[in-house]
Amino acid sequence: MRDIFAGPPDEMSMHGRNDNLELLKAWAGTSLAFAIYIMRGQVFNSQFFYVLTIAALTCGIGFLLHELAHRVVARNFGAQAHFVAHNGWLLISIGVAFLGIFIAAPGAVWHRGYLTPRQGGLIALAGPVTNLVLAVGFLLMSMVATPGDAIFGVRLLDLARIGYGINAWLGLFNMIPAGPFDGAKVLAWDWRVFAVTVGIALLLTFGIRV
């Protein structure tokens, strides 16, 4: 999803930026905001770093792969594509997380170049579909993991439950058919693809519980 309140960066604003580092910054900020949101602001709780690890591997990874999918597909079509983190929104997302509100608007992939409506739609679709695929992956994890299974001290069932919920929601949220959301571009390209994607996202978000 693109930042709602900013236009695409010009060449001067991109000069000297490494968009991989921009992605890393946005991943870290989003993970921190999500962990604070889950813990209801209790950052000194003994469980906070455990939750932060889960946040980084679920919401953070979901965001990171969402934006990378946009970038990969755009570049595959020959467009110039860069991720730019929005420092202001990262700070806002961390601040409002203490109020029990989660906002995921850490930045966006901007692309330039001639694109057909189909190519633009596929670039937009790549992000939400990535989240929905991740949600299915976490759903499958929840089916095979046992209560004692863990990796690096993180219980797989905790990882699966949170990873499924946040990625299903991110996939659905980004399919809003208005404004800067991915759904608006997908709908402008092909309403059938839009309808199927939203239907799957609704099923995963509200029809299946982990």
Side-chain angles (χ1 to χ4, degrees), residues 129-141:
V129 166
T130 296
N131 291 121
L132 297 179
V133 170
L134 283 171
V136 172
F138 282 117
L139 176 62
L140 294 175
M141 181 189 291

Side-chain angles (χ1 to χ4, degrees), residues 169-195:
W169 180 83
L170 285 173
L172 178 61
F173 178 76
N174 279 283
M175 287 302 294
I176 292 174
F181 293 96
D182 297 323
K185 301 171 187 65
V186 176
L187 181 59
W189 161 49
D190 193 320
W191 68 267
R192 294 161 297 185
V193 174
F194 171 82

Side-chain angles (χ1 to χ4, degrees), residues 5 29 40 47 56 61 68 101 118 125 129-130 147 172 185 199:
F5 300 110
R40 300 181 179 181
Q47 290 295 304
I61 289 296
L68 281 174
I101 301 169
R118 176 180 177 273
L125 183 65
V129 166
T130 296
L172 178 61
K185 301 171 187 65

